[in-house]
Amino acid sequence: MKIITSQQIERKNLAENIVSAIKEVVGPGPVALHEPSFDGNEWLYIKECLDSTFVSSVGKFVDRFESDLVNFTHAKYAVSVVNGTSALHIALLLAGVKTNDEVLVPALTFVATANAVSYCNAVPHFVDSESHTLGIDAEKLRGYLTSYTEQRSGCCINLSSGRVIRALVPTHIFGHPVDLDGLLAIAQDFNIALVEDAAESLGSYYHGQHTGTFGLLGTLSFNGNKTITTGGGGAILTNDAALARHAKHLTTTAKLPHAWEFRHDEIGYNYRLPNLNAALGCAQGEQLPAKLAAKRALFASYQSAFAQVAGVKLMNEPARCQSNYWLQTLLLDAEYADQRDAVLKATNDAGFMTRPAWILMHELAPFKWCPRMDLTMAQSLTSRLINIPSSSGLAAVTS
């Protein structure tokens, strides 16, 4: 008679156990992965905006939204834009990224990070991740740059391509802060500008300081699936007054102020956030502390439900950090990686929307030719990560 081991039983029941744990927390399906909630002054502010007729790029809500972001993040300046990708595009230009430069970005990220580099006519250079933050592995990156770059005239030169490595863009994956101390030290030691992709981490803190405020510039996103939303929208954060002025100028078509004349002094971009969207953002921002508290409560409920599920762990915030828990995330143990698709099918069939991490950037057709370091950990992580229902409103189900 064939003996079935306890590990074989666990493997067979993994998907079923994960479905049960999710259901215990959020109740019966269908449940979306992440959806916005509008429980405050959204209708009031949007109506006020409509009544004023200032629905486009001029209006009081744009100014207020930027001020609210400054007050919340403690960045000195915030410039609102139409989406997070455009925010990163402008931030990279302001960081000095030029045609044919290389920009270090994680292979494990949303495609917008690599796209923004390409908009600058620059080259994404993909780097590896670490398992406890899901962000760039600073120690491994330092070793890689030490071996494969050299300093010439104050620039970091890729010895293989001969191109300047101009910037480093860490992404705070699913809201978990990366090792900013390690990456800031790399930026300084190798003469590389650091621009934070904080699109997913509004409300996340690294050693008590808000993400997006450590580098030369940082960027946020307010897409419909983010912690708060403006429908579509983003922002550039910086502590440099000149960079903030230039960001506002570039994102408003580089038009010089004049009562009636249209004179533009450089190539600009129509990346302005409409007043109508900003009105929505102001109302959402008033509820941000409550939404963050709800997401933390949801994490605690999931943590309890998954404590006894073998073969998987729930991603926790790194030490001395505070995550916004934007997307609650499971990481299958390495020996269960082959069960990922079975888990995705079982959860979605049960009415719980789940999804895998992104396809790694170097595996996408537009970026297969780009330089990259060894990506062993990123490849392992993307084969094992699963996002589970994360809407802030789900915390009410658990109370």
Side-chain angles (χ1 to χ4, degrees):
M1 182 177 68
K2 184 177 181 181
I3 298 176
I4 301 176
T5 67
S6 59
Q7 186 179 31
Q8 287 173 319
I9 294 173
E10 289 173 359
R11 287 178 62 84
K12 181 179 179 181
N13 295 334
L14 179 61
E16 179 182 331
N17 291 339
I18 289 175
V19 169
S20 296
I22 294 173
K23 186 175 182 179
E24 176 184 333
V25 173
V26 304
V31 179
L33 179 70
H34 195 288
E35 56 187 358
S37 59
F38 305 110
D39 308 313
N41 288 316
E42 288 88 352
W43 284 103
L44 177 66
Y45 292 171
I46 289 173
K47 185 179 186 304
E48 181 180 342
C49 187
L50 292 172
D51 288 343
S52 75
T53 74
F54 286 95
V55 298
S56 191
S57 56
V58 176
K60 75 172 190 177
F61 287 110
V62 173
D63 295 335
R64 178 188 156 182
F65 187 54
E66 292 177 343
S67 177
D68 288 349
L69 289 175
V70 166
N71 291 334
F72 185 83
T73 65
H74 296 293
K76 289 185 178 179
Y77 307 98
V79 177
S80 59
V81 292
V82 71
N83 54 52
T85 310
S86 59
L88 188 54
H89 176 204
I90 296 300
L92 290 171
L93 290 177
L94 293 173
V97 174
K98 300 177 177 64
T99 296
N100 208 40
D101 282 348
E102 292 182 9
V103 177
L104 301 169
V105 299
L108 178 60
T109 188
F110 181 56
V111 71
T113 314
N115 281 343
V117 174
S118 300
Y119 297 164
C120 300
N121 296 311
V123 179
H125 187 146
F126 300 117
V127 300
D128 206 11
S129 303
E130 58 184 7
S131 61
H132 63 285
T133 68
L134 305 180
I136 293 174
D137 186 329
E139 183 178 354
K140 187 173 181 180
L141 178 58
R142 176 176 287 277
Y144 175 71
L145 293 176
T146 299
S147 297
Y148 296 103
T149 71
E150 69 177 19
Q151 295 293 308
R152 298 179 196 163
S153 303
C155 293
C156 183
I157 306 298
N158 180 344
L159 291 173
S160 177
S161 67
R163 290 186 287 256
V164 175
I165 298 178
R166 190 75 64 183
L168 166 63
V169 183
T171 305
H172 304 287
I173 304 296
F174 307 138
H176 298 300
V178 304
D179 176 13
L180 282 166
D181 281 345
L183 295 175
L184 285 166
I186 288 173
Q188 178 176 344
D189 293 345
F190 290 87
N191 292 310
I192 300 171
L194 190 140
V195 176
E196 285 178 78
D197 180 355
E200 302 171 359
S201 63
L202 180 67
S204 295
Y205 296 83
Y206 179 84
H207 300 182
Q209 183 175 332
H210 197 285
T211 54
T213 64
F214 287 81
L216 184 64
L217 304 112
T219 61
L220 299 171
S221 171
F222 307 105
N223 190 36
N225 66 346
K226 294 301 190 293
T227 304
I228 66 168
T229 184
T230 57
I236 301 165
L237 304 178
T238 185
N239 292 322
D240 186 301
L243 288 177
R245 285 193 297 271
H246 201 181
K248 177 62 79 170
H249 187 58
L250 285 179
T251 57
T252 55
T253 72
K255 180 182 180 296
L256 296 174
H258 194 277
W260 58 81
E261 188 176 65
F262 288 86
R263 187 175 297 277
H264 308 261
D265 62 348
E266 60 184 312
I267 294 174
Y269 303 85
N270 189 3
Y271 284 170
R272 298 171 289 191
L273 181 71
N275 196 45
L276 195 62
N277 296 79
L280 180 63
C282 289
Q284 287 271 290
E286 292 172 349
Q287 304 165 64
L288 181 54
K291 291 179 186 293
L292 292 170
K295 282 182 167 290
R296 185 163 290 271
L298 182 62
F299 166 78
S301 296
Y302 274 135
Q303 190 174 43
S304 176
F306 278 98
Q308 303 304 317
V309 180
V312 64
K313 76 168 184 176
L314 184 68
M315 289 300 302
N316 198 353
E317 60 198 1
R320 297 179 62 197
C321 295
Q322 182 175 326
S323 174
N324 66 0
Y325 289 109
W326 170 55
L327 285 184
Q328 310 287 346
T329 305
L330 302 179
L331 181 63
L332 302 181
D333 293 348
E335 60 267 33
Y336 293 91
D338 63 345
Q339 299 294 302
R340 186 199 69 171
D341 288 353
V343 172
L344 290 167
K345 185 177 189 309
T347 49
N348 280 280
D349 285 351
F352 305 113
M353 186 177 179
T354 61
R355 73 177 192 195
W358 313 281
I359 295 172
L360 296 180
M361 294 299 98
H362 73 287
E363 297 177 357
L364 298 177
F367 304 116
K368 287 184 176 180
W369 63 276
C370 295
R372 62 180 184 269
M373 67 186 294
D374 172 75
L375 299 172
T376 300
M377 181 53 70
Q379 289 167 331
S380 174
L381 290 172
T382 199
S383 71
R384 298 187 286 134
L385 287 169
I386 297 174
N387 296 130
I388 59 178
S390 303
S391 305
S392 59
L394 293 174
V397 177
T398 68
S399 60

